[in-house]
Amino acid sequence: KEDVEQIIGLYDGGVARFDDCVKRVVDQLKATGQYENTIILVTSDHGDDLFEPNCTFGHGLCFNGGDQNNNIPAVFRIPGMESKSRTVPKIVRSIDFAPTILDLCGIKPDPRMEGVSLRPYLEEKVEDMGLAFFGETSYLFCKRYIPGEKPRYIPPMDSTTAIDETFNTNFVLKDKYQKLVLETKERVIRTERWKLVFTPGEDSNILRLYDLKNDPHCERNVALQYPEIFAAMERQLMLWMRERKESRVPDIFPKGEPPSPPPPTT
């Protein structure tokens, strides 16, 4: 308990330090007269596990045990839109940030970009853009563990990487593990309520469906209870993996989300 409290305290201290740094940047923008002509986006690369159920202390580790690894800040400050200040409690993705900033600057996005502009949310023109989140990760610092399953094995970081003296002594992936890293990637697709996690397994692919409304820490696989949801989510996840085709909720559930089955009897 004391170790957990210490680690959470260090994390809180890091967040406080980050807040101080943001203030310094904002103060400098104001001092140089650039604040009223600058779009500010506060975000991060990933979240952290802090000993929530079904996880320990992870750093962008995987898609188990809730969404604390995947939920990142998305705080926009846009000149001229201060009066529209609000929180949008909907899914947006990091792939949407670049198209949004380009749109706000009057620049067309590169056609290769997979995301969309969030300007309709910022200008309060729509209530729901129907966005779905796709994520992938290959984490080499520790072994992936799923109760009752056998994920495909990849050696840890000390075996798969080496220090490259010609590249500022950075860790680099050894050539012989390049293919295996791609083959063992874990992937996920998530809507407001549902999350489907794909993990390459030793015997077969491992697919787990979670009902975030009733199980926010993703402790119960409900694929058998919701076969229609599972099939729709799997279809779109595979499409995104194969063709890099961004999905929307209407793509996943074109006829609307199937009704929930009755609770099991005892």
Side-chain angles (χ1 to χ4, degrees), residues 29 118 129 145 174 205 246:
L29 289 172
L118 302 173
M129 295 177 65
Y145 174 73
K174 295 177 182 177
N205 291 329
E246 184 251 354

Side-chain angles (χ1 to χ4, degrees), residues 16-165:
R17 173 61 174 163
F18 177 79
D19 287 347
D20 291 341
C21 292
V22 171
K23 181 180 184 301
R24 291 175 60 190
V25 173
V26 171
D27 287 346
Q28 184 68 9
L29 289 172
K30 291 179 178 178
T32 55
Q34 300 175 86
Y35 183 69
E36 295 303 330
N37 194 36
T38 300
I39 296 171
I40 298 173
L41 168 60
V42 178
T43 187
S44 70
D45 53 347
H46 56 73
D48 278 300
D49 289 318
L50 293 173
F51 306 97
E52 290 85 359
N54 203 32
C55 64
T56 54
F57 181 62
H59 188 68
L61 176 58
C62 69
F63 303 113
N64 294 308
D67 281 332
Q68 55 276 354
N69 263 310
N70 315 320
N71 281 339
I72 61 174
V75 184
F76 283 90
R77 190 269 175 184
I78 303 163
M81 288 192 181
E82 292 84 356
S83 63
K84 297 182 182 293
S85 176
R86 66 178 184 137
T87 298
V88 180
K90 295 291 181 181
I91 285 181
V92 300
R93 300 82 49 90
S94 54
I95 58 172
D96 301 322
F97 294 160
T100 300
I101 293 172
L102 291 171
D103 188 10
L104 291 168
C105 294
I107 302 171
K108 291 184 178 180
D110 188 302
R112 294 171 296 178
M113 289 181 173
E114 298 175 56
V116 299
S117 173
L118 302 173
R119 191 167 187 165
Y121 276 155
L122 299 172
E123 296 181 342
E124 301 183 78
K125 290 183 178 179
V126 298
E127 288 299 318
D128 191 350
M129 295 177 65
L131 303 178
F133 161 69
F134 172 85
E136 58 183 13
T137 183
S138 181
Y139 199 80
L140 302 175
F141 289 100
C142 61
K143 182 179 178 181
R144 183 172 287 130
Y145 174 73
I146 303 171
E149 302 284 0
K150 291 196 298 184
R152 189 171 174 188
Y153 177 73
I154 183 170
M157 184 179 176
D158 58 350
S159 300
T160 53
T161 62
I163 295 176
D164 188 344
E165 299 290 351

Side-chain angles (χ1 to χ4, degrees), residues 242-262:
R242 288 195 311 267
E243 302 181 18
R244 300 178 65 86
K245 179 177 173 57
E246 184 251 354
S247 296
R248 302 292 183 93
V249 172
D251 298 329
I252 301 173
F253 307 122
K255 297 180 181 179
E257 185 180 306
S260 299

